[in-house]
Amino acid sequence: MFKKIPVPRSEMELNYSRSSGPGGQNVNKRSTKAEIRFDVEKAQWMPAEIKEVFCRIHPNRINAQGLVVVSCQKYRTQPENERSALHRIQELVDDACFAFAGLPTRPERKQSRIQRSKARNRSRALKKVSTVEETQL
């Protein structure tokens, strides 16, 4: 069964820097870009099985030092960018929990949605062909 693991903010290393995002002159004066890092191997809040799955499904998110780095500069304020980056980390951890539980992860869900869409389009195309043939008779 899928169990969501809450990401503790206290276990994260948080840095702010100047952002290139929205904010006009504000971006030249304020450090609003939020960058959050955590070490997957040292994360005591994450069970070992979930760590393994996390490393397997998110290998490009882990740098050479074993850190996961997520940054956000989408918003004008530090708290919003921090919240967004923490939310993204929570999504990554949830993906690992889903995969561990055997539930489809985001790419798998997207793939199945695409397959359903293609099947629906094929059936609609067949219906159009059959209605055109009936009208020609």
Side-chain angles (χ1 to χ4, degrees):
M1 183 168 157
F2 166 67
K3 184 179 179 200
K4 203 171 185 179
I5 300 172
V7 177
R9 187 179 180 279
S10 59
E11 298 286 322
M12 304 292 147
E13 180 185 324
L14 183 62
N15 295 317
Y16 295 106
S17 60
R18 297 242 166 102
S19 172
S20 64
Q25 289 299 315
N26 199 43
V27 297
N28 299 328
K29 299 184 279 184
R30 306 268 189 262
S31 295
T32 57
K33 177 182 176 181
E35 185 176 87
I36 299 177
R37 302 168 180 258
F38 78 94
D39 191 335
V40 178
E41 293 302 317
K42 293 180 182 175
Q44 295 177 353
W45 51 272
M46 194 185 299
E49 302 87 20
I50 303 297
K51 288 179 190 179
E52 279 181 38
V53 174
F54 188 96
C55 293
R56 190 181 74 235
I57 67 173
H58 299 299
N60 297 335
R61 283 284 188 178
I62 302 169
N63 66 17
Q65 292 82 28
L67 297 174
V68 175
V69 181
V70 175
S71 62
C72 181
Q73 57 183 357
K74 186 176 179 180
Y75 301 103
R76 290 177 56 115
T77 64
Q78 278 184 356
E80 285 178 303
N81 285 327
E82 180 183 335
R83 197 173 310 115
S84 178
L86 280 169
H87 184 261
R88 182 66 186 127
I89 287 177
Q90 183 67 60
E91 286 177 342
L92 294 173
V93 172
D94 289 349
D95 283 349
C97 293
F98 272 7
F100 180 72
L103 298 172
T105 58
R106 229 171 249 124
E108 292 169 353
R109 282 186 264 163
K110 181 179 179 182
Q111 197 63 271
S112 64
R113 186 185 75 235
I114 291 169
Q115 289 170 348
R116 283 192 312 269
S117 176
K118 286 182 180 179
R120 193 171 44 249
N121 291 341
R122 277 193 297 272
S123 68
R124 286 179 182 163
L126 289 173
K127 286 179 185 177
K128 282 184 181 180
V129 169
S130 64
T131 56
V132 169
E133 289 174 356
E134 289 173 4
T135 57
Q136 291 177 352
L137 295 174

PDB file of all heavy atoms in Angstrom, residues 64-81:
ATOM      1  N   ALA A  64      26.908  14.430  -8.348  1.00  0.00           N
ATOM      2  CA  ALA A  64      28.064  13.576  -8.048  1.00  0.00           C
ATOM      3  C   ALA A  64      28.299  13.416  -6.543  1.00  0.00           C
ATOM      4  O   ALA A  64      28.837  12.397  -6.107  1.00  0.00           O
ATOM      5  CB  ALA A  64      29.311  14.144  -8.710  1.00  0.00           C
ATOM      6  N   GLN A  65      27.902  14.393  -5.745  1.00  0.00           N
ATOM      7  CA  GLN A  65      28.072  14.323  -4.295  1.00  0.00           C
ATOM      8  C   GLN A  65      26.932  13.566  -3.618  1.00  0.00           C
ATOM      9  O   GLN A  65      26.912  13.430  -2.399  1.00  0.00           O
ATOM     10  CB  GLN A  65      28.164  15.729  -3.674  1.00  0.00           C
ATOM     11  CG  GLN A  65      29.407  16.499  -4.043  1.00  0.00           C
ATOM     12  CD  GLN A  65      29.291  17.175  -5.401  1.00  0.00           C
ATOM     13  OE1 GLN A  65      28.209  17.520  -5.846  1.00  0.00           O
ATOM     14  NE2 GLN A  65      30.422  17.335  -6.071  1.00  0.00           N
ATOM     15  N   GLY A  66      25.958  13.103  -4.379  1.00  0.00           N
ATOM     16  CA  GLY A  66      24.829  12.377  -3.806  1.00  0.00           C
ATOM     17  C   GLY A  66      23.726  13.287  -3.293  1.00  0.00           C
ATOM     18  O   GLY A  66      22.864  12.854  -2.539  1.00  0.00           O
ATOM     19  N   LEU A  67      23.730  14.540  -3.719  1.00  0.00           N
ATOM     20  CA  LEU A  67      22.729  15.505  -3.273  1.00  0.00           C
ATOM     21  C   LEU A  67      21.637  15.680  -4.320  1.00  0.00           C
ATOM     22  O   LEU A  67      21.902  15.665  -5.524  1.00  0.00           O
ATOM     23  CB  LEU A  67      23.366  16.873  -3.031  1.00  0.00           C
ATOM     24  CG  LEU A  67      24.424  16.969  -1.947  1.00  0.00           C
ATOM     25  CD1 LEU A  67      25.046  18.349  -1.946  1.00  0.00           C
ATOM     26  CD2 LEU A  67      23.835  16.658  -0.595  1.00  0.00           C
ATOM     27  N   VAL A  68      20.429  15.844  -3.843  1.00  0.00           N
ATOM     28  CA  VAL A  68      19.323  16.229  -4.710  1.00  0.00           C
ATOM     29  C   VAL A  68      19.192  17.740  -4.572  1.00  0.00           C
ATOM     30  O   VAL A  68      19.085  18.257  -3.457  1.00  0.00           O
ATOM     31  CB  VAL A  68      18.007  15.543  -4.288  1.00  0.00           C
ATOM     32  CG1 VAL A  68      16.849  16.048  -5.115  1.00  0.00           C
ATOM     33  CG2 VAL A  68      18.143  14.044  -4.394  1.00  0.00           C
ATOM     34  N   VAL A  69      19.236  18.445  -5.692  1.00  0.00           N
ATOM     35  CA  VAL A  69      19.154  19.902  -5.681  1.00  0.00           C
ATOM     36  C   VAL A  69      17.927  20.324  -6.477  1.00  0.00           C
ATOM     37  O   VAL A  69      17.777  19.963  -7.644  1.00  0.00           O
ATOM     38  CB  VAL A  69      20.414  20.547  -6.303  1.00  0.00           C
ATOM     39  CG1 VAL A  69      20.313  22.056  -6.260  1.00  0.00           C
ATOM     40  CG2 VAL A  69      21.660  20.067  -5.594  1.00  0.00           C
ATOM     41  N   VAL A  70      17.045  21.070  -5.819  1.00  0.00           N
ATOM     42  CA  VAL A  70      15.854  21.596  -6.480  1.00  0.00           C
ATOM     43  C   VAL A  70      15.837  23.097  -6.250  1.00  0.00           C
ATOM     44  O   VAL A  70      15.958  23.566  -5.122  1.00  0.00           O
ATOM     45  CB  VAL A  70      14.563  20.964  -5.903  1.00  0.00           C
ATOM     46  CG1 VAL A  70      13.332  21.603  -6.513  1.00  0.00           C
ATOM     47  CG2 VAL A  70      14.553  19.472  -6.150  1.00  0.00           C
ATOM     48  N   SER A  71      15.714  23.860  -7.348  1.00  0.00           N
ATOM     49  CA  SER A  71      15.656  25.311  -7.201  1.00  0.00           C
ATOM     50  C   SER A  71      14.396  25.838  -7.865  1.00  0.00           C
ATOM     51  O   SER A  71      13.847  25.212  -8.773  1.00  0.00           O
ATOM     52  CB  SER A  71      16.890  25.970  -7.815  1.00  0.00           C
ATOM     53  OG  SER A  71      16.939  25.704  -9.195  1.00  0.00           O
ATOM     54  N   CYS A  72      13.950  26.984  -7.388  1.00  0.00           N
ATOM     55  CA  CYS A  72      12.762  27.620  -7.931  1.00  0.00           C
ATOM     56  C   CYS A  72      12.970  29.130  -7.936  1.00  0.00           C
ATOM     57  O   CYS A  72      13.374  29.707  -6.930  1.00  0.00           O
ATOM     58  CB  CYS A  72      11.529  27.262  -7.105  1.00  0.00           C
ATOM     59  SG  CYS A  72      10.033  28.019  -7.757  1.00  0.00           S
ATOM     60  N   GLN A  73      12.684  29.735  -9.078  1.00  0.00           N
ATOM     61  CA  GLN A  73      12.744  31.187  -9.184  1.00  0.00           C
ATOM     62  C   GLN A  73      11.520  31.705  -9.930  1.00  0.00           C
ATOM     63  O   GLN A  73      11.530  32.766 -10.533  1.00  0.00           O
ATOM     64  CB  GLN A  73      14.031  31.616  -9.890  1.00  0.00           C
ATOM     65  CG  GLN A  73      14.211  31.028 -11.262  1.00  0.00           C
ATOM     66  CD  GLN A  73      15.533  31.425 -11.859  1.00  0.00           C
ATOM     67  OE1 GLN A  73      16.312  32.184 -11.274  1.00  0.00           O
ATOM     68  NE2 GLN A  73      15.804  30.935 -13.047  1.00  0.00           N
ATOM     69  N   LYS A  74      10.463  30.932  -9.827  1.00  0.00           N
ATOM     70  CA  LYS A  74       9.237  31.203 -10.562  1.00  0.00           C
ATOM     71  C   LYS A  74       8.464  32.399 -10.000  1.00  0.00           C
ATOM     72  O   LYS A  74       7.794  33.115 -10.730  1.00  0.00           O
ATOM     73  CB  LYS A  74       8.367  29.947 -10.498  1.00  0.00           C
ATOM     74  CG  LYS A  74       7.118  29.963 -11.298  1.00  0.00           C
ATOM     75  CD  LYS A  74       6.445  28.600 -11.183  1.00  0.00           C
ATOM     76  CE  LYS A  74       5.159  28.547 -11.957  1.00  0.00           C
ATOM     77  NZ  LYS A  74       4.517  27.239 -11.840  1.00  0.00           N
ATOM     78  N   TYR A  75       8.559  32.615  -8.701  1.00  0.00           N
ATOM     79  CA  TYR A  75       7.749  33.637  -8.042  1.00  0.00           C
ATOM     80  C   TYR A  75       8.602  34.827  -7.610  1.00  0.00           C
ATOM     81  O   TYR A  75       9.821  34.778  -7.627  1.00  0.00           O
ATOM     82  CB  TYR A  75       7.030  33.038  -6.825  1.00  0.00           C
ATOM     83  CG  TYR A  75       6.140  31.888  -7.202  1.00  0.00           C
ATOM     84  CD1 TYR A  75       6.528  30.576  -6.970  1.00  0.00           C
ATOM     85  CD2 TYR A  75       4.919  32.108  -7.814  1.00  0.00           C
ATOM     86  CE1 TYR A  75       5.711  29.516  -7.331  1.00  0.00           C
ATOM     87  CE2 TYR A  75       4.090  31.060  -8.180  1.00  0.00           C
ATOM     88  CZ  TYR A  75       4.495  29.758  -7.929  1.00  0.00           C
ATOM     89  OH  TYR A  75       3.693  28.714  -8.300  1.00  0.00           O
ATOM     90  N   ARG A  76       7.929  35.876  -7.154  1.00  0.00           N
ATOM     91  CA  ARG A  76       8.609  37.112  -6.775  1.00  0.00           C
ATOM     92  C   ARG A  76       9.137  37.106  -5.350  1.00  0.00           C
ATOM     93  O   ARG A  76       9.925  37.967  -4.987  1.00  0.00           O
ATOM     94  CB  ARG A  76       7.645  38.296  -6.923  1.00  0.00           C
ATOM     95  CG  ARG A  76       7.306  38.632  -8.344  1.00  0.00           C
ATOM     96  CD  ARG A  76       6.297  39.752  -8.388  1.00  0.00           C
ATOM     97  NE  ARG A  76       6.749  40.929  -7.678  1.00  0.00           N
ATOM     98  CZ  ARG A  76       7.007  42.093  -8.236  1.00  0.00           C
ATOM     99  NH1 ARG A  76       6.852  42.239  -9.523  1.00  0.00           N
ATOM    100  NH2 ARG A  76       7.403  43.113  -7.510  1.00  0.00           N
ATOM    101  N   THR A  77       8.679  36.179  -4.525  1.00  0.00           N
ATOM    102  CA  THR A  77       9.074  36.207  -3.118  1.00  0.00           C
ATOM    103  C   THR A  77       9.776  34.917  -2.702  1.00  0.00           C
ATOM    104  O   THR A  77       9.551  33.852  -3.274  1.00  0.00           O
ATOM    105  CB  THR A  77       7.845  36.405  -2.202  1.00  0.00           C
ATOM    106  OG1 THR A  77       6.984  35.283  -2.336  1.00  0.00           O
ATOM    107  CG2 THR A  77       7.092  37.685  -2.553  1.00  0.00           C
ATOM    108  N   GLN A  78      10.618  35.033  -1.673  1.00  0.00           N
ATOM    109  CA  GLN A  78      11.329  33.875  -1.128  1.00  0.00           C
ATOM    110  C   GLN A  78      10.382  32.785  -0.632  1.00  0.00           C
ATOM    111  O   GLN A  78      10.555  31.619  -0.985  1.00  0.00           O
ATOM    112  CB  GLN A  78      12.243  34.305   0.025  1.00  0.00           C
ATOM    113  CG  GLN A  78      13.553  34.870  -0.399  1.00  0.00           C
ATOM    114  CD  GLN A  78      14.432  35.192   0.806  1.00  0.00           C
ATOM    115  OE1 GLN A  78      14.030  35.060   1.955  1.00  0.00           O
ATOM    116  NE2 GLN A  78      15.656  35.627   0.512  1.00  0.00           N
ATOM    117  N   PRO A  79       9.370  33.133   0.176  1.00  0.00           N
ATOM    118  CA  PRO A  79       8.499  32.079   0.706  1.00  0.00           C
ATOM    119  C   PRO A  79       7.778  31.286  -0.387  1.00  0.00           C
ATOM    120  O   PRO A  79       7.655  30.072  -0.292  1.00  0.00           O
ATOM    121  CB  PRO A  79       7.495  32.831   1.582  1.00  0.00           C
ATOM    122  CG  PRO A  79       8.162  34.103   1.931  1.00  0.00           C
ATOM    123  CD  PRO A  79       9.045  34.437   0.776  1.00  0.00           C
ATOM    124  N   GLU A  80       7.321  31.972  -1.431  1.00  0.00           N
ATOM    125  CA  GLU A  80       6.633  31.259  -2.513  1.00  0.00           C
ATOM    126  C   GLU A  80       7.586  30.322  -3.248  1.00  0.00           C
ATOM    127  O   GLU A  80       7.228  29.184  -3.561  1.00  0.00           O
ATOM    128  CB  GLU A  80       6.022  32.252  -3.497  1.00  0.00           C
ATOM    129  CG  GLU A  80       4.786  32.935  -2.985  1.00  0.00           C
ATOM    130  CD  GLU A  80       4.260  33.952  -3.978  1.00  0.00           C
ATOM    131  OE1 GLU A  80       5.020  34.867  -4.355  1.00  0.00           O
ATOM    132  OE2 GLU A  80       3.090  33.814  -4.378  1.00  0.00           O
ATOM    133  N   ASN A  81       8.805  30.794  -3.525  1.00  0.00           N
ATOM    134  CA  ASN A  81       9.782  29.953  -4.207  1.00  0.00           C
ATOM    135  C   ASN A  81      10.207  28.779  -3.330  1.00  0.00           C
ATOM    136  O   ASN A  81      10.381  27.662  -3.813  1.00  0.00           O
ATOM    137  CB  ASN A  81      10.996  30.767  -4.635  1.00  0.00           C
ATOM    138  CG  ASN A  81      10.697  31.626  -5.847  1.00  0.00           C
ATOM    139  OD1 ASN A  81       9.914  31.245  -6.710  1.00  0.00           O
ATOM    140  ND2 ASN A  81      11.307  32.793  -5.901  1.00  0.00           N
TER     141      ASN A  81
END
